[in-house]
Amino acid sequence: GFTDYVVLATATSDNHIRALTRQLVEELGEEGQQPRFAGRRAEPARWVALDYGDFVVHLLLAEARARYHLEELYKSCANISR
């Protein structure tokens, strides 16, 4: 299926990605949201994707964000904020 929203966020380190992932999963879990898919691109964590169905969260290190150009995939979509 498709998603309604995509969140692209840049983390400063592998530990930062892990902490953000834990926090998101915990807080959204308290709201009854469970990811359909949670995948890591590589070890150490340079990119984590959390698919919640209606929205997908991508947490990336700056170099991974620059390499994969995810913004290009979504350039035709409305940008809510930066």
Side-chain angles (χ1 to χ4, degrees):
F2 295 93
T3 190
D4 294 326
Y5 299 96
V6 175
V7 177
L8 301 175
T10 304
T12 58
S13 69
D14 173 70
N15 287 337
H16 191 201
I17 287 180
R18 292 177 196 282
L20 289 170
T21 301
R22 279 192 303 273
Q23 190 72 24
L24 279 169
V25 170
E26 181 180 309
E27 289 192 21
L28 291 171
E30 291 172 2
E31 299 293 325
Q33 297 279 344
Q34 298 299 322
R36 294 179 180 177
F37 173 79
R40 262 188 269 168
R41 185 77 169 98
E43 288 291 334
R46 288 179 270 163
W47 176 4
V48 171
L50 300 167
D51 182 353
Y52 284 90
D54 293 336
F55 60 97
V56 176
V57 178
H58 293 277
L59 304 171
L60 303 99
L61 292 181
E63 60 266 19
R65 192 162 176 175
R67 179 178 182 179
Y68 295 107
H69 306 284
L70 294 182
E71 287 85 355
E72 288 295 312
L73 292 175
Y74 304 108
K75 68 182 175 185
S76 66
C77 300
N79 188 344
I80 295 174
S81 72
R82 287 185 182 239

